[in-house]
Amino acid sequence: MSAERPAAPIPARPAPPRPRAGWSWHHPATRARIWQLLALLGIAALLGWLIHNTQSNMAARGIQSGWDFLGQTAGFDIGEQPIAYESSDSYWRAFAVGLLNTLRVALAGIVLCTLLGALVGIGRFSRNLPVRALCRGYVELFRNVPLLVQLLVWYLLLVEYLPDTTEAWSWGGAVFLSKSGLVLPFAQHGADGWHWSRPVLEGFSIEGGAALSPEFLAVLAGLTFYTAAFVAEVVRAGILAVPRGQIEAAQSIALSRWQTLRLVTGPQALRVMAPALTNQYLNLTKNSSLAVAVGYPDLVSIANTSLNQTGRALECIAIVMAVYLTLSLATALLMGGLDRRDRARQAP
């Protein structure tokens, strides 16, 4: 009896022929490029029509346009000047002062809201009931009250309920807090090198040191406390996203709660939190435009004053939009770079 021979393998079906490359209408890539080109041409034509129509209407109503006003004399003072500025300077320098004021309050707010939000977010996991309740109450209070209302409340507290300059609260004779703001020691460079400029109460004013106005403090406090409530929820969500097994493994090798947070939970949670934190930083930067409500001379405030004096509405609004767009893109790129660097460092 002879053994049966194994059946011959079935040959594989040949792959369908690939579409021919080239500029053929039947090629999908060609049709995609043509549709994209037509879409770009349509958008360009629409923008051109809008610009031409706007310029025609402005010319018919006698409204001036152009960017030449940036070189003209501004003619107004600015209360807070990170760089030297006088009313005889040009508009572009006034915009630079406003931009620096915006950056100053935004950067300080990002740092402070990160620290405060991390503390509150970690406090939500405390074994102490009053601490957990306090952290939850903070989040529910500050994230559910509009930011504009909070700015007005902080400004009212600072200018109405703080003592006058002559009766300023003092800590160690070096820090003063009054209706005039907060005055701190400040490092200055003079003819004899670097030295500390300590504030001193002389008569009706405080001389020396670095002064932070009530407007700056109100905006900084409002942005910090408001954004920290959202950052706390981001931190809490990031910690909850870490698998429970990771924490149990850390506890099995006798790591303390602090060591578990610093070595196990924190690094893994940070990778989850990075995109959400970026959104909060972008929101804080854009929310700084509400500073005009309490008289802080940020970029929007300077743009409003320039608009009223020159009538160049489109130009002033375009400057504000371009600046905030640039700041937002720069923040997103920076946070994205840090996230990629962290992922590459932790990759096996």
Side-chain angles (χ1 to χ4, degrees):
M1 183 176 182
S2 61
E4 296 182 357
R5 299 182 59 183
I10 301 175
R13 179 180 298 176
R18 300 182 60 182
R20 293 178 302 172
W23 291 96
S24 173
W25 176 254
H26 300 288
H27 197 283
T30 301
R31 292 198 299 270
R33 292 191 186 97
I34 291 176
W35 286 119
Q36 292 170 11
L37 180 61
L38 291 176
L40 289 177
L41 291 176
I43 294 173
L46 178 61
L47 290 177
W49 177 80
L50 287 175
I51 293 174
H52 176 73
N53 192 34
T54 303
Q55 290 179 339
S56 301
N57 289 331
M58 292 175 64
R61 290 165 175 76
I63 301 176
Q64 296 181 345
S65 62
W67 301 93
D68 57 316
F69 76 99
L70 291 175
Q72 300 173 1
T73 302
F76 58 87
D77 292 322
I78 301 177
E80 302 196 27
Q81 305 167 2
I83 58 175
Y85 172 82
E86 296 180 355
S87 58
S88 57
D89 287 328
S90 58
Y91 278 104
W92 74 264
R93 194 168 183 84
F95 275 101
V97 174
L99 172 60
L100 292 177
N101 282 333
T102 296
L103 290 176
R104 187 169 65 136
V105 74
L107 293 177
I110 287 174
V111 174
L112 294 178
C113 82
T114 303
L115 297 175
L116 181 60
L119 290 176
V120 175
I122 295 173
R124 296 289 300 272
F125 297 96
S126 174
R127 294 175 178 173
N128 191 304
L129 178 60
V131 173
R132 289 204 310 273
L134 183 63
C135 293
R136 181 170 183 176
Y138 170 87
V139 171
E140 299 300 334
L141 173 63
F142 283 96
R143 76 173 177 179
N144 291 318
V145 177
L147 176 58
L148 181 59
V149 177
Q150 295 189 37
L151 291 178
L152 297 176
V153 170
W154 282 112
Y155 187 65
L156 178 66
L157 293 175
L158 290 171
V159 300
E160 292 292 336
Y161 295 100
L162 286 181
D164 295 329
T165 304
T166 55
E167 300 175 351
W169 295 341
S170 174
W171 290 272
V175 180
F176 295 88
L177 180 63
S178 66
K179 289 182 178 179
S180 300
L182 181 66
V183 187
L184 303 165
F186 184 68
Q188 287 186 334
H189 187 269
D192 54 347
W194 287 96
H195 66 279
W196 284 98
S197 173
R198 292 174 59 88
V200 178
L201 179 60
E202 295 181 354
F204 296 98
S205 63
I206 299 175
E207 303 295 337
L212 303 177
S213 69
E215 292 79 13
F216 174 84
L217 294 176
V219 176
L220 180 61
L223 292 175
T224 299
F225 283 91
Y226 179 75
T227 311
F230 294 92
V231 172
E233 288 299 280
V234 172
V235 172
R236 188 173 72 90
I239 294 176
L240 288 176
V242 178
R244 182 65 185 172
Q246 297 284 331
I247 301 175
E248 293 175 351
Q251 294 173 346
S252 66
I253 57 176
L255 291 183
S256 64
R257 295 196 70 189
W258 167 246
Q259 289 175 325
T260 302
L261 176 64
R262 184 170 62 89
L263 301 176
V264 180
T265 310
Q268 297 184 65
L270 190 60
R271 298 171 60 180
V272 181
M273 293 187 296
L277 282 178
T278 303
N279 291 334
Q280 297 307 320
Y281 295 158
L282 295 178
N283 289 336
L284 185 144
T285 304
K286 291 180 287 188
N287 287 337
S288 66
S289 60
L290 294 175
V292 67
V294 295
Y296 180 66
D298 71 329
L299 180 68
V300 176
S301 176
I302 300 300
N304 286 338
T305 305
S306 302
L307 187 155
N308 292 329
Q309 291 191 172
T310 63
R312 310 294 175 89
L314 284 179
E315 291 80 358
C316 292
I317 294 174
I319 291 175
V320 174
M321 291 176 61
V323 168
Y324 279 105
L325 178 62
T326 303
L327 293 179
S328 298
L329 292 177
T331 303
L333 288 175
L334 177 62
M335 292 297 295
L338 293 176
D339 183 45
R340 287 191 296 272
R341 180 182 177 183
D342 182 67
R343 290 177 183 274
R345 189 175 57 183
Q346 296 184 16

